[in-house]
Amino acid sequence: MTVHPSLQNHADAWTHSIEAISELVQPLVEGEWNRATPCPGWSVRDIVSHVIGMECEMLGDPRPIHSLPRDLYHVRSDFARYMEMQVDVRRHHTAPEMTAELEYVLIRRARMLRNENRSPDTLVRAPLGAEQSLEVAYRMRAFDVWVHEQDLRIALGKPGNLDSPGAHVTRDALLAVLPKVVAKDAGAPPNSAVVFDVSGPVEFLRTVRVDAEGRGTIDGAPSLGPAVTFAMDWETYVRLACGRVRPAAVADRVKVEGDEDLAAAILAHFSVTP
């Protein structure tokens, strides 16, 4: 494989998750494609449609020309409308059509990966006509397919892969935005610290520190006197951070110590996926 070393982890994680998705949906009967998932507004079919659509965009395929219905309650932004286009255009596809298109896209993307020789900083197409580096694109696809693999597993009652390569890509992506959540969005006071103690298949302890100017940073050292300490399992952390569940619904799985008002503010802004 000629893919750049800095892209390899993301490519491997993407491959692992996308193949897991394919294995999950291949045996489904028609009715199972309509099962609701934790992803707001999307069924099993919708998630697979989204995955197919995003991989088609990575391949450079033209976007479908399609008018969205006006009664989609979960579509509230330009970004959501952009994402919904690839989903809604496939809403009446049959199970064989879905699995066949998924397999065809996987074959094309695997060939693309084998022949990948672009630099990680090469600019490629991003949603809404923006551009992003190839490295960011690879990371986002690995993150996206792992989260949606978990959506499908919950909907189909087939848990697994909570510690797969995609899980570690997801952990890093979610931790990267945690300082903004704590310092800017939740307004943690200057010179404070907030600790996250996460257990389970992917475990870590991280401290977000807010400096005198209100800027947040993150490290792996414990804090002697944190304003708040959160303790939860990895699956709960992911579901909260990806907007799959409201904090009140998992209150029994999140242990909070310290400033209750600040803890509530952090949890209120914890969902970071669009």
Side-chain angles (χ1 to χ4, degrees):
M1 186 179 285
T2 55
V3 64
H4 193 280
S6 71
L7 303 177
Q8 190 67 58
N9 285 346
H10 300 140
D12 291 345
W14 173 87
T15 300
H16 190 278
S17 293
I18 204 97
E19 289 179 351
I21 287 175
S22 179
E23 289 176 16
L24 282 169
V25 302
Q26 280 291 345
L28 298 184
V29 298
E30 197 68 51
E32 290 175 301
W33 286 84
N34 297 322
R35 282 193 189 178
T37 74
C39 188
W42 280 2
S43 65
V44 168
R45 175 185 279 100
D46 295 340
I47 281 183
V48 177
S49 296
H50 165 73
V51 169
I52 290 170
M54 291 301 100
E55 300 309 333
C56 286
E57 296 198 15
M58 286 291 287
L59 286 158
D61 293 355
R63 280 175 56 77
I65 298 172
H66 179 71
S67 296
L68 287 179
R70 296 185 178 183
D71 59 350
L72 298 174
Y73 74 92
H74 58 282
V75 178
R76 298 179 184 147
S77 67
D78 289 342
F79 186 83
R81 270 187 286 280
Y82 183 96
M83 290 299 173
E84 197 71 21
M85 197 73 76
Q86 297 276 14
V87 173
D88 195 66
V89 78
R90 294 175 172 85
R91 280 220 159 92
H92 300 293
H93 287 197
T94 64
E97 287 172 331
M98 294 297 297
T99 53
E101 188 178 14
L102 179 62
E103 287 307 299
Y104 181 53
V105 167
L106 292 191
I107 290 168
R108 294 174 64 207
R109 284 281 280 128
R111 184 186 304 131
M112 185 183 194
L113 278 179
R114 285 196 301 273
N115 297 326
E116 184 62 85
N117 57 12
R118 293 173 291 178
S119 161
D121 56 8
T122 302
L123 292 178
V124 296
R125 184 171 76 180
L128 293 175
E131 289 186 323
Q132 60 190 356
S133 72
L134 190 63
E135 185 169 5
V136 169
Y138 269 55
R139 182 169 67 244
M140 292 309 297
R141 293 310 311 135
F143 169 81
D144 191 54
V145 294
W146 183 82
V147 172
H148 287 313
E149 178 198 339
Q150 293 304 314
D151 287 332
L152 293 173
R153 288 187 177 282
I154 291 171
L156 298 171
K158 296 185 176 180
N161 283 352
L162 279 167
D163 60 349
S164 67
H168 291 87
V169 172
T170 299
R171 174 201 61 195
D172 293 345
L174 295 176
L175 288 177
V177 297
L178 203 48
K180 176 181 177 292
V181 169
V182 172
K184 183 178 178 183
D185 299 340
N191 301 313
S192 65
V194 176
V195 173
F196 296 85
D197 185 0
V198 175
S199 58
V202 176
E203 62 177 15
F204 53 87
L205 187 142
R206 293 291 187 277
T207 301
V208 175
R209 304 178 196 276
V210 183
D211 66 16
E213 282 75 45
R215 291 187 296 262
T217 57
I218 189 169
D219 61 57
S223 170
L224 295 177
V228 181
T229 298
F230 292 98
M232 68 187 87
D233 63 274
W234 166 236
E235 186 175 7
T236 300
Y237 186 96
V238 169
R239 294 181 72 194
L240 283 169
C242 295
R244 282 358 187 216
V245 67
R246 295 183 185 277
V250 289
D252 60 326
R253 300 183 67 170
V254 180
K255 183 182 177 184
V256 178
E257 294 180 357
D259 185 329
E260 292 183 4
D261 290 341
L262 177 56
I266 291 169
L267 289 174
H269 293 89
F270 208 69
S271 173
V272 294
T273 55

